[in-house]
């Protein structure tokens, strides 16, 4: 619509990856968030609803959508902000669609993987809309969490990374993830700043 993207829960991840309008709006952040997920055949079958409803700790899709102004529409529960939905306990409600508000801004998504199609070691998505800066950090290896930042400086990235709680698993240690959080947040901020410079 003029105000938002409405994405049905059965939309495939491949459709997200290839949708021209959505990727123009997010400057390729949506495409970047899903392109490493297994392979094209898998992404043709995996759905947006499955990715969001599960609130999986490794979810690239949940991470990128949290940094945008996203809400979900539930059959019984109505429209709920994604950051609130992500913290809710699972129940028997039905996810109908995902809604991304069209808020002009700049967006970036970065992830680190040990191998190309593996689950991410850490995922970071950042957006700047007006003066608001939103940063989502996922695969900590806990579910993605949303943070706010005051500016796009390296000092701001460092302070934000210090707030990110991490843990260890077979892919990486908590210490490595904490270091990686600062690196990826800084790089996302740099990508946004580069786009801002180009537009001036």
């Amino acid at each position: 619509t003029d105000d938002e993207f409405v994405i049905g829960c059965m939309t495939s991840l491949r459709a997200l990856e290839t949708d021209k309008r959505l990727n123009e709006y997010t400057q390729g952040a949506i495409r970047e968030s899903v392109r490493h997920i297994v392979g094209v055949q898998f992404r043709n079958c995996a759905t947006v609803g499955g990715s969001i409803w599960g609130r999986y700790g490794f979810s690239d899709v949940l991470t990128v959508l949290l940094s945008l102004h996203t809400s979900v529409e539930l059959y019984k529960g109505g429209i709920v902000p994604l950051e609130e939905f992500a913290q809710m306990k699972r129940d028997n409600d039905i996810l109908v669609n995902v809604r991304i508000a069209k808020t002009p801004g700049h967006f970036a998504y970065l992830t680190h993987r040990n191998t190309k199609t593996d689950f991410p070691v850490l995922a970071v998505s950042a957006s700047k809309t007006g003066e608001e800066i939103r940063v989502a950090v996922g695969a900590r290896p806990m579910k993605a969490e949303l943070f706010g930042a005051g500016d796009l400086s390296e000092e701001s990235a460092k302070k934000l990374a210090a707030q990110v709680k991490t843990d260890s698993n077979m892919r990486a240690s908590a210490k490595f993830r904490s270091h990686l959080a600062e690196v990826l947040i800084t790089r996302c901020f740099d990508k946004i700043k580069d786009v801002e410079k180009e537009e001036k």
Side-chain angles (χ1 to χ4, degrees), residues 43-107:
R43 296 195 295 275
N44 273 324
C45 298
T47 64
V48 174
S51 298
I52 297 301
W53 183 262
R55 291 101 150 169
Y56 301 115
F58 56 80
S59 177
D60 293 276
V61 180
L62 179 60
T63 304
V64 73
L65 291 180
L66 268 176
S67 71
L68 308 175
H69 290 88
T70 307
S71 58
V72 297
E73 182 181 347
L74 303 172
Y75 180 69
K76 293 180 181 177
I79 296 175
V80 179
L82 182 59
E83 54 265 38
E84 183 181 324
F85 175 77
Q87 301 305 319
M88 290 166 57
K89 292 182 179 179
R90 296 185 196 181
D91 55 23
N92 290 324
D93 208 341
I94 299 168
L95 179 64
V96 180
N97 56 48
V98 174
R99 296 167 175 262
I100 303 173
K102 289 182 177 178
T103 310
H106 301 296
F107 312 92

Side-chain angles (χ1 to χ4, degrees), residues 117-137:
T117 58
D118 193 9
F119 291 131
V121 171
L122 195 81
V124 174
S125 184
S127 69
K128 183 182 180 186
T129 54
E131 296 303 313
E132 182 186 17
I133 299 170
R134 295 160 65 98
V135 179
V137 183

Side-chain angles (χ1 to χ4, degrees), residues 155-176:
E155 185 62 29
S156 181
K158 188 174 183 177
K159 286 180 180 178
L160 198 155
Q163 300 174 43
V164 177
K165 184 180 178 183
T166 62
D167 206 346
S168 302
N169 66 2
M170 62 183 287
R171 290 179 176 80
S173 67
K175 185 177 179 181
F176 179 68

Side-chain angles (χ1 to χ4, degrees), residues 10-30:
M10 295 304 291
T11 301
S12 72
L13 299 187
R14 179 64 174 166
L16 286 190
E17 183 181 11
T18 58
D19 190 273
K20 184 178 178 181
R21 294 163 299 178
L22 189 57
N23 281 294
E24 281 180 353
Y25 168 72
T26 62
Q27 288 120 45
I30 292 283

